[in-house]
Amino acid sequence: MQCTEIRQLISSYIDDQLGLDEKNAFTFHIRNCSNCREELEEIQSVHELFASAERFSAPYGFATRIMASLETNEPSRWWAFFTLRPLALRAVEWAFAIIVVITGLLFGNLLTADKGPPAGQATIQESFSLDLFQAMPPDSIGGVYVALAEATHEK
Ligand SMILES: [Zn+2]
């Protein structure tokens, strides 16, 4: 099959509408022709995008509000309700979150700066040290597992 024929069959292939012989010839060509393969992948991703978009439904009363605003010649009203208010709220939330993070970093640095570990308490490095891990008792389930793993490893 020629590339031009393949391009015409891509949609039918995605919709699984090809006959067996056509499908075999199509997949054979796709496997061996990178140009057609790229074309197929591109169209497939667009198909998937539309397929997933169909799952979203408009909010309750969405169409009614649009129709009402069209009839009363007030196109800016519902538009402002949907975009401006949530955007302003989101900006405030983001600003607040950023302030919290920055103050957290500043205070964290102030609290830990120039202070050694308190007496009697392990430093962070010590508490994560491997010395704290104890060898597994050989009669525990973990010990049996380790013994088995070592035994199979030696074979
Ligand atoms: Zn081709």
Side-chain angles (χ1 to χ4, degrees):
M1 252 195 244
Q2 299 284 311
C3 286
T4 47
E5 288 178 79
I6 293 294
R7 303 295 163 102
Q8 284 164 1
L9 291 177
I10 285 177
S11 281
S12 310
Y13 172 78
I14 290 172
D15 294 330
D16 202 19
Q17 312 233 299
L18 293 182
L20 194 63
D21 288 346
E22 247 179 343
K23 197 174 175 178
N24 285 339
F26 182 91
T27 47
F28 179 78
H29 182 101
I30 287 292
R31 229 172 277 149
N32 296 297
C33 176
S34 60
N35 284 335
C36 288
R37 197 162 54 232
E38 274 171 27
E39 181 87 13
L40 171 67
E41 278 164 4
E42 215 168 287
I43 293 172
Q44 246 168 351
S45 65
V46 173
H47 266 255
E48 279 159 22
L49 202 70
F50 276 102
S52 62
E54 278 167 13
R55 282 187 229 126
F56 299 111
S57 54
Y60 180 75
F62 185 74
T64 314
R65 277 198 293 275
I66 291 175
M67 292 316 288
S69 70
L70 288 175
E71 281 163 14
T72 55
N73 282 328
E74 283 179 300
S76 62
R77 228 176 167 182
W78 66 271
W79 189 241
F81 178 77
F82 269 109
T83 56
L84 294 176
R85 268 182 72 188
L87 266 181
L89 281 175
R90 240 171 279 159
V92 170
E93 279 168 8
W94 270 102
F96 193 73
I98 289 164
I99 288 166
V100 167
V101 168
I102 288 170
T103 50
L105 286 172
L106 286 175
F107 277 98
N109 282 339
L110 284 175
L111 289 171
T112 53
D114 298 325
K115 259 197 211 169
Q121 245 186 313
T123 64
I124 293 169
Q125 245 179 341
E126 278 167 357
S127 48
F128 281 103
S129 158
L130 285 173
D131 294 341
L132 289 177
F133 287 97
Q134 287 178 346
M136 222 167 276
D139 55 343
S140 70
I141 293 170
V144 170
Y145 179 78
V146 168
L148 279 173
E150 278 171 356
T152 51
H153 214 74
E154 279 165 13
K155 276 177 194 169

